[in-house]
Amino acid sequence: MLKNITYYSISKLLLISATALFVSGCSQKITSINDTVRVAVQGTADIHKSANAVAALPYASTYVRIGNGSQLFMVLALAETASGDTFTNTNTATNTTSTPPLLKWLASDHGMLVTQSGRIVKTVNLAAGNLSTTTSNTVDPLTLGLHLATTLTTWQRHIDWQPGYHNGYQLDSQFVFDQPEVLTINGKSVPVLRFSENVTVKQLDRHYSNTFWIEQRTGKVVKSQQYIAPDLPSVEMTILKPFG
């Protein structure tokens, strides 16, 4: 699925990430640099992890399914601010208006998903193609919290994706509440609210729908099924162990 990232570059990335997180006091401490590199580069033995195994890992993790492919296990390699600085718990505690971190989830074959407030905003080295950029002049309703009555249910953004020269396409979203549900995630029952995001791409006369399951109490996305771009496959993510 993924290519063109060397073992050296991955090791260097994770070494920097682990060191920064440890020094900053982030709750996601890396206890072993070697273990981090091993998990990221070689992968784990099973794509289904027990609750105890997930809890024992010192970093956030997620299940991912791309299109009709097999379920992958991905770990959080890095959490960054929009300016590229390492994001720590101190950022959250001292600045409640700060932009949510960009979370970089790494697969065993060097593929990467970048999420913000549960939304995929960029991908790296996916075989079918990649979402290059996501930009908007307004705050994503997922960041504001879809569980709040004050959150707007419409949103507009622009995206670029590859292969091809797909630049600056406008996406118009309408969020619709579906129903409450109870998911079983990592052996625990999680009460959620399911929302559909109906997306229109006027330039292509295309319509599709993303689905987000948000925790009832916090409004955080715990599961999602979202299309990377109009011509790219959907990605299902289930957060096993959240960042922070």
Side-chain angles (χ1 to χ4, degrees):
M1 178 180 69
L2 310 160
K3 54 187 179 180
N4 296 332
I5 296 183
T6 65
Y7 180 91
Y8 172 79
S9 62
I10 291 296
S11 300
K12 184 177 180 181
L13 167 66
L14 293 173
L15 177 59
I16 294 173
S17 171
T19 303
L21 291 176
F22 179 81
V23 171
S24 66
C26 173
S27 64
Q28 183 175 300
K29 292 183 173 64
I30 305 300
T31 58
S32 169
I33 300 299
N34 291 333
D35 285 347
T36 303
V37 173
R38 177 183 56 78
V39 170
V41 177
Q42 298 178 0
T44 54
D46 302 315
I47 58 173
H48 292 281
K49 306 287 289 185
S50 69
N52 289 338
V54 171
L57 290 174
Y59 23 77
S61 58
T62 180
Y63 283 143
V64 170
R65 188 184 306 276
I66 300 176
N68 296 321
S70 60
Q71 181 170 270
L72 306 173
F73 179 75
M74 304 181 78
V75 296
L76 182 63
L78 197 64
E80 292 182 336
T81 65
S83 60
D85 297 326
T86 299
F87 195 96
T88 72
N89 283 349
T90 303
N91 298 122
T92 304
T94 60
N95 187 1
T96 57
T97 61
S98 63
T99 303
L102 295 169
L103 304 182
K104 298 186 174 183
W105 304 93
L106 189 65
S108 61
D109 53 4
H110 305 165
M112 185 178 289
L113 302 177
V114 182
T115 64
Q116 188 172 44
S117 298
R119 180 181 300 282
I120 298 172
V121 295
K122 184 177 181 178
T123 67
V124 179
N125 287 340
L126 303 189
N130 288 283
L131 175 62
S132 305
T133 59
T134 300
T135 58
S136 179
N137 294 324
T138 56
V139 180
D140 190 338
L142 291 176
T143 297
L144 297 174
L146 288 175
H147 63 310
L148 302 176
T150 55
T151 299
L152 294 177
T153 57
T154 59
W155 188 49
Q156 186 179 97
R157 64 190 181 276
H158 292 81
I159 64 171
D160 304 337
W161 77 92
Q162 301 170 339
Y165 299 96
H166 304 289
N167 298 319
Y169 279 78
Q170 178 177 308
L171 276 57
D172 295 291
S173 294
Q174 175 75 52
F175 293 87
V176 179
F177 172 66
D178 292 331
Q179 64 185 39
E181 295 180 359
V182 177
L183 301 179
T184 301
I185 299 177
N186 201 29
K188 297 180 180 179
S189 295
V190 182
V192 298
L193 302 173
R194 190 182 77 192
F195 284 84
S196 292
E197 179 191 18
N198 299 317
V199 182
T200 299
V201 189
K202 293 181 179 179
Q203 294 110 308
L204 300 176
D205 192 25
R206 295 278 296 277
H207 306 271
Y208 60 89
S209 182
N210 298 326
T211 305
F212 295 92
W213 289 263
I214 67 172
E215 190 176 11
Q216 288 189 12
R217 182 178 57 86
T218 65
K220 292 184 178 180
V221 176
V222 295
K223 182 178 179 180
S224 66
Q225 186 166 14
Q226 46 189 311
Y227 284 90
I228 304 172
D231 296 330
L232 298 180
S234 65
V235 176
E236 180 182 294
M237 295 189 71
T238 302
I239 304 300
L240 300 174
K241 188 175 184 178
F243 169 70

